[in-house]
Amino acid sequence: MDLDQTTNEPKMEKDYSESVKALQPEVEQLLASGQLRAALDKLHGLEKKTRAAADLWSTSQLLESMVDACGAASEWVMLEQEVAAMSKKHGQLKQAIAKMVQRAMTYVDKTPDEQSRIELIDALRTVTEGKIHVEVERARLTRMRVAVYEAHGQITEACDTLQEIQVETYGSMDRREKTDFILEQMRLCLAKRDYIRLAIISHKINPKYFQRDDTEDLKLRFYELMIQYDLHEGNYLEVSRHYNQIYTTKSISEDAEKWPGVLQNILLYLVLSPFDNEQSDMLHRVQRDHNLEKLELCTRLAKGFTTMELTRWPAVESVYGPEFRKTDVFSAQTDDGAARWMTLRDRVIEHNIRVIAKYYTRATITRLTELLDLGADDVEAFLSRAVVAGTIYARVDRPAGAVSFAKPREGEEQLNAWASDVGKLLGLVEKTTHLIAKEEIVNKIARAI
């Protein structure tokens, strides 16, 4: 049988549209008198002919009429049976099945009780299983089923069921709906605490898609989920970046009540991040934001971490503690908040060590304990971590009770330094000789006159 290039279905051999229109009043009359089975038999008889003739429009109309007949009579079991039977008919047209399933989906919300709703959804999911031409309908039905699981607190079943659908491969689904579906998968993974799968699924979304104006709601949902994930992983720099993406969203940046909290979170999570080039660069960029000047404490905190001056922890605790301990970041009421407050203490100490390493070539352990407000063992522990991280160079001389911050030069580097010093010395000698010769010439001319 030849295919119609426009519909990718067999070419229509005969048009039954007039027969379908003529049959409709007779079917409606039978339904009005309560003869549902007789009405379905009439529809079945004509459907067989339209299917054999590959009449897509007529077949679709008849299948939809069967669904409407069962739905209007509230015969939900019969509706499930009819949909299943019609989808298995030999030579059934794919687009006709799709329209039948779409019409049946409209009755899901009209079911009288939850059990009937679940059975209808499951029946339709069975019909659509493995069929590419109804993959979008199956995805939507799966979300309905997942909603029921979630309403009963069955998070694991809901998450596993939704993971079965790989919407990123669906060519017929709108990109916005795909993104929304993937975000729902991420949300359920987070609820299930399946953080590894959440990270994998998040890569299915291209952040560049959020540059479109009509995707702000999806963008905010995505980055809020990613914030929760990276907080669990302790990736504070990534958390700060996610908040920065939220901050640049138009609906947030133009709302005077929302942007201060977001900007404050950007800074707080940024200073909680371990020091490196990326963290330092982002911190300086945030400091240049004019809106930061409107947040006095945040401005002072940013200045403290970008200025190479000692910042004593007791002073930080007394100045910023009363205000910041009320925020979600450093909440005194939660274990995570208390842990992040101690992390801030560590970051302040690490900053102070970098300052000391810059201005000192050698210092005693006793002096360092005074500058860092730490015990001798803690000073050595923080120094060791800084050295391992590569942020400073230091060598501890335990017998002498001192720390050297001067990095020894290698042989080639030392020779280059000596050569440079000799070059400077010869330059000074040459300049001095020139000045002496100049002075002698001036004196000879003065005597000659």
Side-chain angles (χ1 to χ4, degrees), residues 362-363 365 368 379-381 383-384 387 394-405:
R362 185 178 176 85
I365 296 291
L368 289 178
V379 167
E380 190 169 327
L383 283 172
S384 300
V387 170
R395 290 293 182 268
V396 179
D397 185 351
R398 285 198 181 94
V403 179
S404 173
F405 296 103

Side-chain angles (χ1 to χ4, degrees), residues 350-368:
E350 290 167 4
H351 168 77
N352 290 338
I353 288 175
R354 292 194 298 274
V355 173
I356 293 170
K358 180 179 180 179
Y359 294 112
Y360 282 78
T361 56
R362 185 178 176 85
T364 63
I365 296 291
T366 305
R367 179 57 176 158
L368 289 178

Side-chain angles (χ1 to χ4, degrees), residues 142-171:
T142 301
R143 286 197 67 171
M144 294 179 187
R145 187 67 179 94
V146 165
V148 175
Y149 277 131
E150 195 171 5
H152 287 86
Q154 298 173 293
I155 301 299
T156 301
E157 290 80 358
C159 184
D160 293 343
T161 302
L162 203 62
Q163 299 310 316
E164 297 173 2
I165 309 300
Q166 307 298 325
V167 292
E168 65 274 9
T169 64
Y170 292 2

Side-chain angles (χ1 to χ4, degrees), residues 151-334:
H152 287 86
Q154 298 173 293
I155 301 299
T156 301
E157 290 80 358
C159 184
D160 293 343
T161 302
L162 203 62
Q163 299 310 316
E164 297 173 2
I165 309 300
Q166 307 298 325
V167 292
E168 65 274 9
T169 64
Y170 292 2
S172 55
M173 182 179 282
D174 177 71
R175 189 173 183 183
R176 179 182 176 85
E177 188 175 0
K178 280 186 188 180
T179 306
D180 180 60
F181 199 98
I182 294 171
L183 289 174
E184 191 67 11
Q185 290 179 327
M186 292 173 61
R187 184 185 67 81
L188 286 173
C189 284
L190 189 64
K192 186 185 173 183
R193 299 186 182 279
D194 189 351
Y195 295 101
I196 295 175
R197 188 175 294 276
L198 170 61
I200 295 171
I201 294 174
S202 67
H203 293 303
K204 296 178 181 180
I205 297 178
N206 187 350
K208 290 183 179 179
Y209 172 64
F210 298 130
Q211 294 175 1
R212 296 171 53 174
D213 293 336
D214 59 341
T215 60
E216 282 197 4
D217 57 327
L218 299 177
K219 177 181 179 180
L220 294 176
R221 282 173 59 193
F222 173 73
Y223 284 111
E224 284 168 1
L225 290 169
M226 292 307 299
I227 285 170
Q228 295 183 57
Y229 166 73
D230 282 309
L231 280 177
H232 174 267
E233 297 296 314
N235 299 329
Y236 295 128
L237 183 59
E238 291 300 320
V239 173
S240 182
R241 285 174 176 160
H242 299 328
Y243 272 115
N244 191 50
Q245 291 293 333
I246 293 175
Y247 177 67
T248 56
T249 305
K250 188 176 180 181
S251 60
I252 300 297
S253 60
E254 294 180 354
D255 192 331
E257 294 183 358
K258 293 181 178 178
W259 69 256
V262 176
L263 182 57
Q264 177 176 277
N265 285 342
I266 292 174
L267 179 66
L268 294 183
Y269 284 112
L270 198 51
V271 298
L272 284 173
S273 307
F275 176 82
D276 58 22
N277 291 335
E278 291 184 23
Q279 187 264 0
S280 178
D281 177 67
M282 189 172 178
L283 183 57
H284 281 84
R285 282 190 282 113
V286 170
Q287 190 182 21
R288 290 194 296 269
D289 191 325
H290 296 300
N291 284 333
L292 192 66
E293 298 173 0
K294 301 174 184 178
L295 307 176
E296 183 182 353
L297 282 180
C298 290
T299 304
R300 293 173 62 183
L301 183 63
K303 184 178 180 181
F305 275 90
T306 53
T307 306
M308 294 304 287
E309 296 179 0
L310 289 177
T311 305
R312 309 295 285 269
W313 171 247
V316 170
E317 196 168 22
S318 62
V319 173
Y320 303 105
E323 184 67 27
F324 286 161
R325 292 310 296 273
K326 297 177 183 177
T327 64
D328 292 336
V329 181
F330 299 117
S331 175
Q333 309 301 321
T334 63

